[in-house]
Amino acid sequence: AQSVTQLDSHVSVSEGTPVLLRCNYSSSYSPSLFWYVQHPNKGLQLLLKYTSAATLVKGINGFEAEFKKSETSFHLTKPSAHMSDAAEYFCVVSVRYGGSQGNLIFGKGTKLSVKP
Amino acid sequence: DSGVTQTPKHLITATGQRVTLRCSPRSGDLSVYWYQQSLDQGLQFLIHYYNGEERAKGNILERFSAQQFPDLHSELNLSSLELGDSALYFCASSPRASSYNSPLHFGNGTRLTVT
């Protein structure tokens, strides 16, 4: 069965310091993986996607994620946090046959706080 | 701006009532997905329509129904509302019949409060 686990429900960093949001997935075949960001009172916006091309994926706003098959991980990073990065981040695995979950399996989200 | 429009932005209603949420997908997108987001359940897939036809159903309650019209906009109808139905309801669209390998574009949601 496919699943995705976001290891931290809340991460707090200081402005200008690196960001690491952790995600592990479980999939019976090569997955497609996405990261979405949700700012308060907004919809989800696609940050980046991995679809079996390069393992290091660059997204918008300076974020990137590395697909590591051996570790079944797809962690999201950013070298230097900005105040505007404060939001909730969702790791998503895309599956061919999702059943009642649909094709996209969402993690429970990680809330990122950025301190001045 | 994702190009997906949801109305209304906020809805406050009483238990037992019925409401309709509306979604206009991005221009050219044929698929519309509905999701429910609540604090305790997270993001839950409700239903997916492609070009007017129902493609997949999630854990959608029998009190809820949806449809996609010939102009591709979609409506989610929630009836006999309960306090537990209070949530943020998202619509998302994509050009393809399946969201496998294909990211979705989300609207800003309708916040439903049932009192």
Side-chain angles (χ1 to χ4, degrees):
Chain A
Q2 282 70 232
S3 67
V4 59
T5 303
Q6 292 184 243
L7 298 162
D8 306 294
S9 59
H10 192 196
V11 169
S12 182
V13 301
S14 295
E15 192 175 20
T17 64
V19 176
L20 170 64
L21 305 183
R22 299 181 295 164
C23 172
N24 285 111
Y25 69 91
S26 168
S27 177
S28 49
Y29 47 85
S30 279
S32 288
L33 295 156
F34 307 118
W35 275 98
Y36 281 86
V37 60
Q38 183 181 22
H39 287 93
N41 300 314
K42 294 288 188 182
L44 282 76
Q45 179 187 16
L46 181 69
L47 268 181
L48 50 82
K49 64 177 181 178
Y50 166 77
T51 53
S52 77
T55 56
L56 184 61
V57 182
K58 293 190 184 300
I60 62 171
N61 301 335
F63 284 94
E64 60 183 37
E66 186 171 9
F67 174 73
K68 291 187 177 179
K69 187 174 180 179
S70 60
E71 299 176 11
T72 61
S73 70
F74 190 56
H75 300 336
L76 182 70
T77 60
K78 182 172 180 177
S80 175
H82 294 152
M83 296 297 291
S84 60
D85 294 328
E88 189 154 21
Y89 293 78
F90 293 91
C91 183
V92 182
V93 62
S94 177
V95 300
R96 197 182 295 274
Y97 304 110
S100 64
Q101 297 185 79
N103 294 109
L104 299 183
I105 313 298
F106 284 83
K108 292 196 179 298
T110 298
K111 192 161 285 188
L112 175 65
S113 300
V114 182
K115 297 175 289 188
Chain B
D1 183 12
S2 69
V4 178
T5 303
Q6 288 188 250
T7 56
K9 289 184 180 178
H10 302 277
L11 204 45
I12 301 174
T13 189
T15 54
Q17 295 298 305
R18 173 191 167 94
V19 296
T20 297
L21 313 184
R22 183 188 167 101
C23 169
S24 294
R26 286 190 325 163
S27 176
D29 283 358
L30 299 178
S31 270
V32 169
Y33 298 77
W34 286 98
Y35 285 84
Q36 179 193 60
Q37 185 180 38
S38 60
L39 283 174
D40 52 343
Q41 298 285 333
L43 266 161
Q44 298 284 313
F45 166 66
L46 295 179
I47 199 163
H48 168 210
Y49 279 84
Y50 176 75
N51 204 22
E53 300 288 328
E54 182 184 304
R55 289 280 295 195
K57 226 171 193 177
N59 295 320
I60 187 168
L61 299 171
E62 284 192 13
R63 302 183 284 108
F64 295 2
S65 65
Q67 54 184 325
Q68 186 180 26
F69 295 87
D71 67 352
L72 302 176
H73 91 271
S74 178
E75 292 181 357
L76 178 67
N77 300 296
L78 316 176
S79 62
S80 303
L81 284 167
E82 301 175 0
L83 295 177
D85 297 328
S86 296
L88 199 48
Y89 291 84
F90 284 109
C91 165
S93 74
S94 79
R96 297 167 58 179
S98 169
S99 58
Y100 176 63
N101 271 352
S102 178
L104 303 184
H105 301 271
F106 284 80
N108 284 335
T110 293
R111 182 169 295 281
L112 173 66
T113 303
V114 183
T115 61

